[in-house]
Amino acid sequence: MAETNGHTSRPRVLIPEKVSPDGLRLLQETLDVDEKKGLTPDELKDIIGEYDALIVRSETKVNAQLLAAGKRLKVVARAGVGVDNVDLEAATKLGVIVVNSPQGNINAAAEHTIALLMAVARNVGSASVSIKSGKWERSKLVGVEVKGKTLCVLGLGKVGLTVARAAGGLGMNLMAFDPYANPSLAASANVELVSSMDELLEQADFLTIHTPMIASTKGIIGASELSKMKKTARILNVARGGIVDEKSLLEAIEAGTIAGAGLDVFTAEPPQPGDTASKLIEHPSVVATPHLGASTVEAQENVSIDVCTQVISILSGQLPRSAVNAPIILPEEYRTLQPFVTLLEKMGSLYTQHFGQNNSTQRLRTTFELVYEGTLASTNNTKPLFASLVKGLVSPVTSTDSLNINIVNAELVAKERGILISESKSRENLEQEGYSASVTLKVRLDPRSPSASRRGNPIEGEQSSQRKTKIQDQIITGFVVNNQPYISRLGRFSCQFVPTGTLLICRNYDEPGKIGVVGERLGKAGVNIRFMSVAPIEQNGNNGGGLTVDGHEAKENEALMILGVDKPVDEEVRKSLIAGDGVVEASVVLL
Ligand SMILES: NC(=O)c1ccc[n+]([C@@H]2O[C@H](COP(=O)([O-])OP(=O)(O)OC[C@H]3O[C@@H](n4cnc5c(N)ncnc54)[C@H](O)[C@@H]3O)[C@@H](O)[C@H]2O)c1
Ligand SMILES: O=C(O)[C@H](O)COP(=O)(O)O
C-alpha cells in the first residue's frame, strides 16, 4: 500500500498510451489504474509524481527528467520489446525497474514477415495502388511463386525460426546463417545452417533479416553483400531499420541488381520526406509498412498481460520475469558476490568474443564446466554467478532490448540457446596465489572430433596449415583482488590482466621482435596502447597431450600478447597482423 497525505491507498498506475485492456483488468483488481492519453511531455511530468508504475509503448519518451519527477515510481513497463524510448541508465540509477515483453509479439512479427514475403513476390502493394487509381494492369504485375524457392534467414532466433517454420509450410527451401543458433532447433524446422554469410547471400531467392540491431549488425547488409546476391533476389526486413543499409539497397534496386524489398522498419521512424528511406518506400518494387510487426490484436493482448503481470509482481515486492535492468544480485548478497558477478559476465563475454570470433561456425551450443574455487566454493547461492555467465556469453550477440537476463530467467535463456552449464566446487586453498577465490570456465574439445578443428579454437589459427598447432580445451580462469576482477588464464596461456575496455589478443610464436611488429602496425593505424601483458604457456595443470590437429607432436613455442587499446582495431588491421610474420591469430574483444 502506498502513503498519500498520511492515508494508505492502493498503488497507482499511469498509462498514457493505447495498451490492450486485457492486462489492465488484472491491474484493476489490486491497483488504481489511470488511462490518460494525449498528455504533453510537461503534463506527464506534472502528474508522474503521483504514480508507482508507468506503462508505455514506443511513443512516450521516458527520459531522465520524467523519471526524476516520478518520486514514487518503482517500475516502468514497456508493452512490447524495444526500450529505446526509455532512459535505462537513469532508471537504474534511480532504482526504477524497467520491464518489457520479449516474447509477446514474436508470432505477430513472423506473420508480418510472411505477409511482406507474399506481397513482394506478387506485387500486392503496386497492384493495390494501381487498381485503386482505376487501372487494370495485369501483364505489368506478373509475380513469382515462393514454392520451391530458397528463403535465407539471417538471424535464426525467436522471430527467424518462427518465420522459417511458416515458410516451410509454403514449400520453400530454408537456409540460415546464425553463428549462435541452436542446431537442433534449426534441424527440427528443416533449416540448413550454413557456415558463412556469403553462402547465404549467394543462395537466396528471398533474404529475411531477423538479427538484433547491435554494433556488429548495423549495416551488415551493405553494397558488397547485395552484390553477391542473385539479381532476382528480394530482401525482407521486419527487424530494425539500419541492419540493411538503406542507401545501398536503394541503389541496388534502382540498378536492377536486387529485384525488390519488403520493409517494416527504417533507420529513422517515421521517415522524413526526401530521405533515403522515403525514396525506398516510394519505389514500385518496394512494399513498405509503418512498423506494424507487433500490431495485431493478439500480440497487443499478450504484451499487455505480460507487462501488467510483472507490474503487479514488482509492486508486491517480487522479482519480475523480464526486467531489462533487474538485479542479477539481491541487496543482501551484494557485498560478497558483486565482484564475482562482474568477473563472470566478463569471462562469458570474453569467451564468446575470443573463442568464437575467428570461426563463423562457432556456436554457443556447448557444454560449459564452471568450477568455483577456494572460498567461493562455500557460496550456497551460485544463481547470480550462473546468471551473470549466461548474460556475458550471450550479450555480445544479442541486443539489450531483447535480452534481459537476471536470476529469474537465466536458466531458461541458457536452455533456449542450447547452452549447458555444469557447476562444481573445488575447495583447494588458493592463498599461495595471492587471492582466496577464483573461478574457471572450461569447454572440453575432443581432438579426435572433426568439429574440434572447426571450432574457433584459438590454438589453431589462420596459419595452422603452415605450422602444426595443438587442439586444447578452451579455458578461462579469473580471480578477484580488492574487488577488481582479473583474468589469470586464457586457453593454455598463463596471464594477468583486467578484463575491461577494448583488448587485442594476439597468439604469436614466442620469438624476438613480435611485440615491435604489433606495436608498429597499431601505431600506423593510430591506435594507442594503454597496457600490454605477455602470457606464456601455463606451466601447471592440463596443457593437453601435445597433439596437433592431425595427431602429430607440436612445439610449445607460442605466447599470448594482450594489449589494452584506446579504440576499436578494425578488421583490416587485425587481418594485417596475421598476414605478417609470427602472429598466428588475433582477436579483438570489447569488455
Ligand atoms: N517489426 C517489429 O514490430 C518487431 C517485433 C518484434 C521483434 N522485432 C525485431 O526482430 C529482431 C529479432 O527479434 P528476436 O526476438 O527473434 O531476437 P532473438 O534475440 O531471439 O534472435 C536474434 C538472433 O540473431 C542472431 N544474430 C546475432 N548477430 C548475428 C549475426 N551477426 N549474424 C547472424 N545472426 C546473428 C542471434 O544469435 C539470435 O539467434 C530484433 O531486431 C527485434 O527488435 C521487430
Ligand atoms: O519493439 C517492439 O516491441 C516492436 O518493434 C513493436 O513496437 P510497438 O509497440 O511500438 O508497435
Side-chain angles (χ1 to χ4, degrees), residues 81-82 102-103 105-106 108-110 112 153-162 177-182 197 209-214 216-217 220 237-240 243 264-265 269 291-295 364 394 396-399 401-403 416-417:
V81 186
Q103 301 278 351
N105 57 31
I106 301 302
H112 196 69
V153 183
L154 183 65
L156 198 68
K158 295 186 288 292
V159 179
L161 199 60
T162 313
F177 174 67
D178 182 336
Y180 313 99
N182 183 333
M197 203 163 77
I209 316 292
H210 298 291
T211 66
M213 173 61 155
I214 46 180
S216 58
T217 58
I220 193 170
N237 188 2
V238 183
R240 281 291 182 262
I243 299 174
D264 183 47
V265 284
E269 294 179 2
H291 200 146
L292 289 182
S295 292
L364 282 176
V394 178
V397 293
T398 316
S399 59
D401 59 12
S402 66
L403 183 80
E416 274 176 7
R417 298 264 167 175

Side-chain angles (χ1 to χ4, degrees), residues 55 63 120 146 203 344 399:
I55 303 184
N63 55 26
V120 167
V146 298
Q203 298 291 331
L344 262 298
S399 59

Side-chain angles (χ1 to χ4, degrees), residues 54-55 112 194 199 203-204 217 236 240-241 273 284 292 315 346 401 404-405 430 481 573:
L54 173 69
I55 303 184
H112 196 69
V194 296
E199 206 178 326
Q203 298 291 331
T217 58
L236 308 167
R240 281 291 182 262
L292 289 182
L315 294 182
K346 302 277 188 187
D401 59 12
N404 318 310
I405 295 174
L430 298 168
V481 170
V573 177

